[in-house]
Amino acid sequence: MAKRQVQKETRSQPHFLQFNNLACETAGGKVIFATDEWFAPARNLLKRDPPEFIASAFTEFGKWMDGWETRRKRIPGHDWCIVQLGVPGIIHGFDVDTSFFTGNYAPFASIQATCLDQMPSIALEGDRTGMAASPSQFEAVAQLNSDSWKEVVPVTKLKAGYSDTCHNYLSVSYPHRVTHIRFNIYPGLGMAENMGDGWETARRLDRPRVLKEDENGILQVPGSEWAIFRLGHPGIISKIELDTNHFKGNFPDSCRIEACSLTEDEENSFIQSQWSSDRSPMWNILLPPQKMKAHHRHVFSGPSLVHCGPVSHVRMVIAPDGGISRLRIWGRPVSSHQMISKL
């Protein structure tokens, strides 16, 4: 049996390790929801003792692991769990420990937080190895609107669970009381391999000879380029990622995102008219114009976004031209009945 030793204090360790572990099981912390717990249950995340590895230990579902391990993702979305802190408080940092997960660790993670006035009546009981959240559990947890909680740790690359890399220390600057956190883990996020693995437009020729900018540093140019996307599922958008990876001398100066709700017949009609301006749908601003950076992941959520309600399509508008390697849109799915009610 291998057991990860408690790290000795060193000058390189983050300052927040001096504080109490608000999520520890001995303090009353508990996992109240997890999308999937096939190989190992999420409650292991909150154990007080360091993780251990037993080479000969297996369950009927696979290798026994002293952590949270989901099955390989083969459906849309990503895995996540909700932790109810044992002691509400102000969070200064996280230690995402990947010990012993070397070829099967989550390569990326993000963390959201909130302060609930009342403790939810959601709970997970017993050993949930080999299980996944049921439709009724998804329906119950949806009432918490956890996808719109404050993002305190953006999508961050994690390191493998070797002894010298297993502690992924993530500092937080969020001076507010927290009762619950949502821990999101992601498979490879599909970073663009090069500029050809993204969208790039030709250089516009209608730019002014001398460029000027507004009070926000955004260039004032007459033209723009745009692309329209139908969402995989209609929903309420809570986070947007615009990635200019590899676009270093040819990234857009600015970008905005618009949204609307269309029926299938309306979409077909606009496609036939090539989305001409005189027959264009009523686009609503979802993300106001934002200054772009070269070779950079831009993530927008919370007050950066304008609430548009349920939408089915988005339009990405870049100015004056340039390239975007990835566009990712997160949100809460809504039913067709809710879409009809909105219309």
Side-chain angles (χ1 to χ4, degrees), residues 195 197-203 225 242-255 292-296 298 316 318-326:
M195 285 188 295
D197 193 21
W199 174 50
E200 184 181 9
T201 71
R203 188 186 296 255
E225 305 288 351
L242 293 165
D243 191 352
T244 58
N245 190 32
H246 299 298
F247 291 97
K248 301 175 181 179
N250 51 349
F251 61 98
D253 174 71
S254 65
C255 180
M292 294 285 100
K293 298 179 182 178
H295 193 58
H296 182 76
H298 309 75
M316 178 172 67
I318 60 173
D321 48 46
I324 299 284
S325 63
R326 292 292 186 268

Side-chain angles (χ1 to χ4, degrees), residues 38-70:
W38 182 262
F39 290 109
R43 68 180 184 181
N44 289 341
L45 293 170
L46 311 184
K47 288 183 176 180
R48 179 188 62 182
D49 297 328
E52 59 183 359
F53 181 81
I54 305 175
S56 60
F58 287 82
T59 72
E60 62 178 300
F61 305 101
K63 182 70 184 75
W64 178 88
M65 295 296 290
D66 193 11
W68 176 37
E69 185 179 6
T70 67

Side-chain angles (χ1 to χ4, degrees), residues 129-280:
T129 304
M131 301 180 68
S134 65
S136 61
Q137 288 173 323
F138 270 109
E139 183 177 345
V141 80
Q143 304 303 312
L144 300 180
N145 294 321
S146 63
D147 58 320
S148 61
W149 290 358
K150 173 66 177 179
E151 184 179 68
V152 294
V153 175
V155 177
T156 300
K157 187 174 183 178
L158 301 180
K159 298 177 182 178
Y162 300 104
S163 59
D164 58 339
T165 60
C166 61
H167 291 280
N168 295 268
Y169 295 125
L170 308 173
S171 297
V172 171
S173 179
Y174 185 65
H176 303 282
R177 185 176 187 266
V178 172
T179 60
H180 294 74
I181 63 169
R182 170 169 159 158
F183 180 47
N184 306 289
I185 57 175
Y186 308 94
L189 282 169
M191 300 290 286
E193 295 184 1
N194 49 51
M195 285 188 295
D197 193 21
W199 174 50
E200 184 181 9
T201 71
R203 188 186 296 255
R204 292 189 65 91
L205 302 179
D206 57 357
R207 291 181 293 181
R209 295 179 179 177
V210 179
L211 297 175
K212 296 182 180 180
E213 60 184 25
D214 65 11
E215 63 276 7
N216 297 315
I218 295 177
L219 293 181
Q220 299 300 284
V221 291
S224 62
E225 305 288 351
W226 50 269
I228 295 174
F229 305 88
R230 183 203 308 136
L231 301 181
H233 196 293
I236 298 175
I237 297 173
S238 58
K239 185 169 68 172
I240 295 174
E241 175 186 333
L242 293 165
D243 191 352
T244 58
N245 190 32
H246 299 298
F247 291 97
K248 301 175 181 179
N250 51 349
F251 61 98
D253 174 71
S254 65
C255 180
R256 74 176 187 269
I257 303 293
E258 302 168 340
C260 70
S261 178
L262 299 176
T263 65
E264 184 177 350
D265 289 341
E266 288 174 330
E267 179 193 83
N268 290 332
S269 175
F270 289 127
I271 290 176
Q272 291 176 5
S273 66
Q274 298 184 338
W275 304 90
S276 61
S277 58
D278 58 336
R279 296 194 58 198
S280 179

Side-chain angles (χ1 to χ4, degrees), residues 53-106:
F53 181 81
I54 305 175
S56 60
F58 287 82
T59 72
E60 62 178 300
F61 305 101
K63 182 70 184 75
W64 178 88
M65 295 296 290
D66 193 11
W68 176 37
E69 185 179 6
T70 67
R71 75 190 82 194
R72 300 297 188 267
K73 201 69 175 172
R74 298 295 183 267
I75 59 176
H78 67 277
D79 286 309
W80 50 279
C81 67
I82 292 182
V83 176
Q84 181 172 299
L85 301 183
V87 181
I90 295 176
I91 296 176
H92 295 276
F94 296 91
D95 176 9
V96 179
D97 188 349
T98 58
S99 287
F100 304 113
F101 289 98
T102 53
N104 54 346
Y105 69 100

